[in-house]
Amino acid sequence: MKELMISPGPDELLVCVMAAAANPKDWKASEQLGFTSNPGDDMAGIVEAVGSDVLEFKPGDHVAALHRASHPMEISEKTTFEEAAAVPLAAMIASLALFRHLGFPAPWDVTSETSASGPHLIYGASGAVGAYAVQLAVKAGLYPIIAIAGRSSNYVQSIIDPSKGDKVLDYREGLHAVVFKAKEALGGKVLYHAFDCTL
């Protein structure tokens, strides 16, 4: 049997995929739009070959990326492929929502004038996108953060900064309780920004 030889293009990586992740959009595309393929977007693996114009990576590197190796990032060998495969799409959505759509300064652009540009409410803070949104908001100084979560509230509590006024509220307590506690956490400040990570 003849072995299939695949070569990357000049600006591409060829990656041996060790783990892939599925996202809600994958099953929604099949269920709601009738797509029969479900390729997923997130993957992690080992670089097999690099194109002639690639300078940042070499064979043997452990990477995570969107499929077709779009925007690859090197991962530590301490990070499992399964952990790394869960990063690309969720982190990208959280970043785009906070720093492009909502217009907050990215963590590397934060100055004393732009910090503390909250309050900011993140609904679904314990999901994949929500957890990245909380962590990015903390790094960008978007406090106080009012994070709405459920069973994983303890996890969300571990990634916020209560000293900055950040709070975690449990949606299972009911709408009225959450609204009351959110107003209490705001302390009279107006809430202009909210990010619903549950869609």
Side-chain angles (χ1 to χ4, degrees), residues 107-151:
W108 49 88
D109 291 330
V110 172
T111 65
S112 57
E113 290 79 31
T114 61
S115 64
S117 53
H120 184 66
L121 187 140
I122 299 174
Y123 191 85
S126 60
V129 173
Y132 282 113
V134 170
Q135 293 173 83
L136 289 167
V138 167
K139 292 205 172 289
L142 305 181
Y143 52 83
I145 298 166
I146 300 169
I148 313 292
R151 283 184 313 208

Side-chain angles (χ1 to χ4, degrees), residues 76-101:
S76 162
E77 292 197 14
K78 295 178 184 176
T79 303
T80 67
F81 291 116
E82 293 80 6
E83 291 168 334
V87 174
L89 190 65
M92 181 184 73
I93 290 170
S95 298
L96 290 172
L98 290 174
F99 308 126
R100 188 169 183 182
H101 182 70

Side-chain angles (χ1 to χ4, degrees), residues 3-91:
E3 185 178 336
L4 177 65
M5 298 299 291
I6 300 173
S7 298
D11 59 352
E12 295 179 335
L13 303 177
L14 177 63
V15 177
C16 177
V17 176
M18 304 301 288
N23 294 283
K25 71 132 190 95
D26 298 319
W27 64 261
K28 287 179 182 178
S30 297
E31 182 180 88
Q32 297 171 4
L33 302 175
F35 292 173
T36 55
S37 64
N38 185 5
D41 277 308
D42 299 311
M43 64 86 173
I46 302 168
V47 175
E48 292 282 316
V50 299
S52 58
D53 294 339
V54 175
L55 304 175
E56 301 89 351
F57 300 97
K58 64 186 182 311
D61 285 347
H62 289 199
V63 297
L66 296 173
H67 72 289
R68 293 196 55 82
S70 176
H71 301 89
M73 59 184 171
E74 190 167 2
I75 60 173
S76 162
E77 292 197 14
K78 295 178 184 176
T79 303
T80 67
F81 291 116
E82 293 80 6
E83 291 168 334
V87 174
L89 190 65

